[in-house]
Amino acid sequence: MRAFDSFNRDNYMDANISPLAGKLPIPSMLIDVPRLITAYYSEIPDPSILAERVIFGTSGHRGSSLTKTFNEWHILAISEAICLFRQYQKINGPLFLGMDTHALSVPAFASALEVLAAHDVEVMIAENDEYTPTPVISHAILTYNRNRSTGLADGIVITPSHNPPHDGGFKYNPPSGGPADNEITQWIEEKANAILKNKLKNIKRISFEKAKNASTTHRHDYLHHYVNDLANVIDMNVIKNSGIKIGVDPLGGAGVNYWEPIAERYQLDLTILNKTIDPTFCFVPVDWDGEIRMNPASPYAMTTLIEKRHLFDIAFACDTDHDRHGIVSKKAGLLPSNHYLCIAMDYLFKHRLSWSKKMGVGKTVVTTQMIDRLANKLNRSVDEVPVGFKWFVQGLLDGTLGFGGEQSAGASFSRIDGTVWTTDKDGMIAALLSAEITAHEKTDISTLYENFEREFGKMYFQQQNAQATLEQREKLKSLSASQITFTKLAGDNIHKILTKAPGNNEAIGGIKVISDEGWFVARPSGTEAIYEICAESFRDQSHLEKILNEAEIIVKKALTDTSTSGE
């Protein structure tokens, strides 16, 4: 029996758990890489079909070449649209271009560069064609733009994050350094789809060989610029001097070659469990639904590291583009994402003495209310926003937020001096912070959350996922409060039904139903063909299960009710 310990199936429940979950994939599950790449070039999307258009979710366009949702035409069209956007916004600094280790990232990188170079964009690509984590691109943009008001840089990250191996992803980061906001993505999406509809006529493009050798294409040492700056966001001396043993599993992602230089530069006792890069990801245990998914927040994908946790004082993993984290303690195993966000936020506001007293905390609508209770004690404000890290960008940039975190294991925070580090999720600093906390507190990190429970009471959180078509997801996204006719949730009066986040009054893209003793959020995933119900009880596990059961009933009734339309 595998021990998931504190992060067991009571914390992470999904419909129809696969019998393969937590085991290494069998050969028949592995992607056929040549077939995937061939489909990227040979399959032509039909823009009259909604699913085959360019669609920006919570973080860029994602899909698979096998389903005509991520093909060469998509990337050429999006790249052309980004060039037009840069001209429209007079963005004329360098564009930092990076990619992760998914199979479709390499051809998408080539397609993008062919268009960017044809437009004479100054493009910064990695030395030695190195893979580049998402936070490293954000860090590069912000570092370049510091103290500049003109000639600003922006970036593109080619990644579908932790999505399965058959997927590709493509996202744009404007000069603010983080994921583009809705206004920008809508502009790019509309232009790209118009280009698709026009069968790519009039786009500028040169051969990849010419693009790579163009005078506007430059090599950039992403790795050492990022690694050498880490001491300004993490107290590396505390970690080094403690002598703690650290384990890391890069899960075959873009940061795989970053961890050894980090260990050498800061003299850390750090062991890398697996340095393999293989686009089939055959070494990653299967996730809950039988898919290979490089998700460090999943107890199934993290099985290998969980089973080796006794070798380390603290261990962690990051997803494929290294913007998400998974923290494994020797005592408790994989920490629930909500637990670690609380630990990290509490520690940072207590120990970053240069941070402004006015700095607040950013959290998404699906993140635990324990954050609010801790923030209240720390006398810090909480901005509760919709799902998507783009909602934290401005706050992290202008210093009104010292920390931004989302339940799906994404976070970033300010430098030690209180200035901005990244405005995109950074799984590497979140992971390294767990080592700093372990070293500084001289205790197993899980005990810190136990202290919160003793003071504020225990929170019972759970997420359920179910497969959903694009049409079902669109319908859920447009639900209105008036479609929820129930007055009670698990026996308690419902006192709030939200379709907009209280922190910024932006649409949740679903609903949040709140009672005195708990809440649930139902929303479609912006990155996968599923919908999610996240719920939390302030009472007990039985009460949580009632909330989840009733949430499913409430959502299904609302989705099948044709008498009321969305807002």
Side-chain angles (χ1 to χ4, degrees):
M1 175 71 70
R2 287 188 169 88
F4 295 129
D5 301 296
S6 70
F7 198 161
N8 54 34
R9 294 186 181 188
D10 290 337
N11 299 105
Y12 188 100
M13 287 294 290
D14 300 277
N16 305 315
I17 299 295
S18 167
L20 295 173
K23 301 174 183 176
L24 290 177
I26 57 178
S28 61
M29 297 173 63
L30 303 181
I31 59 167
D32 183 335
V33 175
R35 179 169 171 257
L36 196 70
I37 303 301
T38 300
Y40 173 83
Y41 289 107
S42 63
E43 297 292 340
I44 307 298
D46 182 350
S48 69
I49 300 172
L50 179 61
E52 294 181 24
R53 295 178 195 163
V54 171
I55 301 173
F56 276 78
T58 51
S59 193
H61 175 79
R62 298 185 186 183
S64 175
S65 62
L66 301 175
T67 56
K68 297 185 183 180
T69 51
F70 191 93
N71 303 86
E72 183 184 34
W73 276 39
H74 291 111
I75 305 311
L76 294 172
I78 297 170
S79 300
E80 180 75 15
I82 288 171
C83 290
L84 296 175
F85 178 78
R86 296 181 99 242
Q87 294 167 16
Y88 171 63
Q89 290 292 319
K90 296 181 171 59
I91 300 169
N92 51 20
L95 183 143
F96 292 92
L97 179 63
M99 65 177 175
D100 77 359
T101 55
H102 276 80
L104 288 173
S105 294
V106 174
F109 177 93
S111 300
L113 189 60
E114 289 170 3
V115 174
L116 294 167
H119 280 269
D120 296 321
V121 175
E122 301 284 340
V123 182
M124 313 297 279
I125 63 176
E127 289 188 346
N128 304 313
D129 297 322
E130 180 62 81
Y131 298 104
T132 312
T134 286
V136 174
I137 295 293
S138 180
H139 176 268
I141 294 168
L142 295 175
T143 301
Y144 183 87
N145 288 343
R146 190 177 297 140
N147 301 322
R148 277 188 169 91
S149 58
T150 59
L152 298 178
D154 55 0
I156 291 172
V157 192
I158 302 172
T159 174
S161 190
H162 63 291
N163 277 30
H166 52 65
D167 279 0
F170 198 91
K171 65 177 184 175
Y172 174 65
N173 286 25
S176 60
D181 63 27
N182 287 348
E183 187 176 344
I184 294 174
T185 57
Q186 185 176 353
W187 195 100
I188 294 171
E189 185 179 299
E190 288 177 359
K191 289 288 184 188
N193 282 320
I195 292 166
L196 280 183
K197 190 175 181 180
N198 201 31
K199 301 186 184 301
L200 304 185
K201 290 178 183 176
N202 302 320
I203 69 163
K204 290 185 178 180
R205 182 187 185 189
I206 60 176
S207 71
F208 180 60
E209 190 64 27
K210 285 184 179 178
K212 202 169 183 180
N213 295 300
S215 61
T216 52
T217 300
H218 313 281
R219 293 290 178 174
H220 181 71
D221 187 359
Y222 285 105
L223 191 153
H224 288 101
H225 277 90
Y226 179 87
V227 170
N228 292 339
D229 204 13
L230 281 170
N232 291 309
V233 70
I234 299 292
D235 190 339
M236 290 297 194
N237 284 328
V238 166
I239 304 173
K240 179 185 76 171
N241 295 336
S242 70
I244 61 170
K245 294 185 180 299
I246 304 167
V248 59
D249 188 347
L251 294 176
V256 67
N257 293 327
Y258 277 63
W259 291 106
E260 194 168 302
I262 289 172
E264 291 175 355
R265 172 72 173 78
Y266 297 105
Q267 300 174 53
L268 307 183
D269 186 352
L270 185 149
T271 301
I272 305 165
L273 269 69
N274 192 338
K275 298 179 183 179
T276 304
I277 294 177
D278 181 337
T280 68
F281 294 94
C282 57
F283 46 85
V284 177
V286 176
D287 205 1
W288 65 274
D289 57 352
E291 284 272 17
I292 303 169
R293 188 178 287 109
M294 294 62 71
N295 182 5
S298 165
Y300 305 105
M302 290 283 279
T303 297
T304 303
L305 188 56
I306 292 168
E307 291 180 342
K308 294 183 178 180
R309 69 189 188 278
H310 64 281
L311 301 173
F312 310 106
D313 297 299
I314 189 73
F316 42 75
C318 293
D319 68 335
T320 325
D321 67 323
H322 271 47
D323 69 344
R324 300 186 189 217
H325 60 270
I327 310 301
V328 176
S329 91
K330 181 182 288 189
K331 172 185 171 184
L334 179 63
L335 298 183
S337 303
N338 275 323
H339 291 199
Y340 181 61
L341 292 179
C342 291
I343 293 165
M345 185 275 290
D346 182 74
Y347 176 87
L348 286 166
F349 281 103
K350 285 178 177 175
H351 295 92
R352 295 301 190 254
L353 302 182
S354 294
W355 286 13
S356 166
K357 297 297 182 185
K358 296 180 180 179
M359 273 183 163
V361 181
K363 58 167 272 194
T364 60
V365 292
V366 295
T367 305
T368 178
Q369 202 180 76
M370 182 68 83
I371 289 274
D372 302 72
R373 299 184 184 190
L374 287 165
N376 183 60
K377 183 182 178 183
L378 292 165
N379 198 28
R380 300 285 180 167
S381 62
V382 176
D383 283 346
E384 184 174 340
V385 299
V387 173
F389 212 78
K390 60 191 171 189
W391 304 113
F392 300 135
V393 170
Q394 190 55 45
L396 290 168
L397 193 61
D398 64 24
T400 55
L401 293 180
F403 177 89
E406 52 184 8
Q407 177 270 334
S408 56
S412 191
F413 46 88
S414 298
R415 292 169 181 264
I416 292 170
D417 68 2
T419 59
V420 64
W421 170 257
T422 62
T423 48
D424 214 328
K425 297 188 291 286
D426 191 335
M428 290 189 283
I429 63 164
L432 288 166
L433 181 67
S434 71
E436 179 188 331
I437 297 171
T438 301
H440 188 276
E441 300 299 309
K442 298 180 174 62
T443 186
D444 190 278
I445 198 168
S446 65
T447 62
L448 301 177
Y449 191 81
E450 292 169 4
N451 294 337
F452 301 156
E453 290 185 331
R454 279 190 284 271
E455 183 173 0
F456 299 107
K458 191 169 182 179
M459 304 287 197
Y460 298 82
F461 180 92
Q462 202 163 294
Q463 175 177 323
Q464 289 185 169
N465 297 338
Q467 299 296 325
T469 64
L470 182 60
E471 290 75 19
Q472 289 171 324
R473 284 179 282 151
E474 287 299 314
K475 195 168 185 179
L476 179 55
K477 191 188 297 183
S478 61
L479 278 183
S480 68
S482 62
Q483 287 174 267
I484 308 302
T485 57
F486 292 73
T487 59
K488 289 186 178 290
L489 179 65
D492 302 314
N493 289 329
I494 293 173
H495 62 78
K496 276 186 185 177
I497 300 174
L498 304 177
T499 57
K500 294 185 176 180
N504 59 2
N505 204 37
E506 294 285 350
I508 291 171
I511 55 166
K512 183 169 187 175
V513 177
I514 306 169
S515 72
D516 291 326
E517 294 294 321
W519 56 266
F520 79 83
V521 172
R523 56 175 295 277
S525 169
T527 58
E528 297 182 80
I530 59 175
Y531 77 85
E532 306 163 346
I533 296 178
C534 295
E536 187 169 50
S537 168
F538 314 144
R539 193 181 295 166
D540 56 34
Q541 182 66 29
S542 174
H543 183 244
L544 174 62
E545 289 169 5
K546 287 179 183 176
I547 292 176
L548 282 164
N549 290 337
E550 292 186 18
E552 192 170 350
I553 294 169
I554 290 170
V555 171
K556 284 183 177 178
K557 184 178 187 303
L559 287 176
T560 55
D561 182 6
T562 57
S563 62
T564 311
S565 61
E567 288 184 323

